[in-house]
């Protein structure tokens, strides 16, 4: 089946972010990680509803922040200096790219990149798809 977009109107924006060469102590700090994701939601213009975070025995942290617009999530590997983040936002008022830039700064990442995916593009009546839009550093 071939899909071609009839419009670029999108229901959501999904950003997959990679942060490398981060401060290892920061990536072990569950309290700091939670505060960082709450701040990221704020700078993105999102409304926080709930959250859950867990610190593993090896020091890694996984967490999710539920926002009215969808979610932000993180998984850290302190031993590698690496964090993987996922931001999914609905609506046109949020700016998840700002969240990515903030987290890169807060984690003291020497290298970061992200991929933006437009989600919920209407191709035909009740048929939706996605488009990988751009890669940013």
């Amino acid at each position: 089946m071939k899909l071609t977009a009839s419009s670029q109107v999108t229901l959501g924006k999904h950003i997959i972010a990679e942060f490398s060469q981060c401060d290892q102590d920061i990536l072990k700090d569950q309290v700091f990680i939670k505060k960082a994701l709450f701040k990221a939601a704020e700078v993105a213009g999102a409304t926080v509803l709930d959250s859950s975070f867990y610190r593993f025995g090896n020091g890694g942290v996984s967490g999710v922040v539920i926002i009215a617009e969808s979610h932000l999530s993180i998984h850290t590997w302190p031993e590698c200096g690496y964090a993987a983040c996922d931001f999914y936002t609905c609506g046109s008022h949020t700016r998840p790219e700002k969240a990515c830039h903030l987290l890169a700064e807060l984690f003291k990442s020497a290298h970061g990149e992200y991929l933006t995916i437009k989600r919920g593009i209407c191709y035909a009546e009740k048929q939706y798809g996605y488009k990988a839009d751009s890669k940013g550093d």
Side-chain angles (χ1 to χ4, degrees), residues 1-45:
M1 172 192 315
K2 183 177 178 188
L3 297 176
T4 55
S6 60
S7 113
Q8 286 299 300
V9 174
T10 179
L11 297 177
K13 189 183 288 188
H14 192 164
I15 294 183
I16 298 168
E18 308 282 309
F19 303 106
S20 300
Q21 300 173 3
C22 300
D23 183 305
Q24 292 181 340
D25 291 328
I26 287 173
L27 296 184
K28 293 177 188 176
D29 189 336
Q30 181 179 341
V31 172
F32 184 90
I33 297 289
K34 181 177 181 176
K35 287 179 183 178
L37 260 66
F38 272 63
K39 185 67 176 172
E42 179 185 323
V43 301

Side-chain angles (χ1 to χ4, degrees), residues 41-58:
E42 179 185 323
V43 301
T47 304
V48 174
L49 300 176
D50 203 357
S51 68
S52 181
F53 287 81
Y54 182 81
R55 186 169 187 267
F56 294 94
N58 69 352

Side-chain angles (χ1 to χ4, degrees), residues 47-107:
T47 304
V48 174
L49 300 176
D50 203 357
S51 68
S52 181
F53 287 81
Y54 182 81
R55 186 169 187 267
F56 294 94
N58 69 352
V61 175
S62 286
V64 63
V65 175
I66 306 301
I67 55 177
E69 300 80 5
S70 193
H71 71 274
L72 288 74
S73 65
I74 187 166
H75 307 283
T76 71
W77 287 262
E79 68 277 13
C80 300
Y82 169 71
C85 295
D86 180 69
F87 307 92
Y88 186 70
T89 59
C90 301
S92 60
H93 70 282
T94 58
R95 299 291 178 258
E97 299 87 357
K98 289 185 176 185
C100 289
H101 291 283
L102 174 70
L103 291 180
E105 180 182 324
L106 292 176
F107 297 159

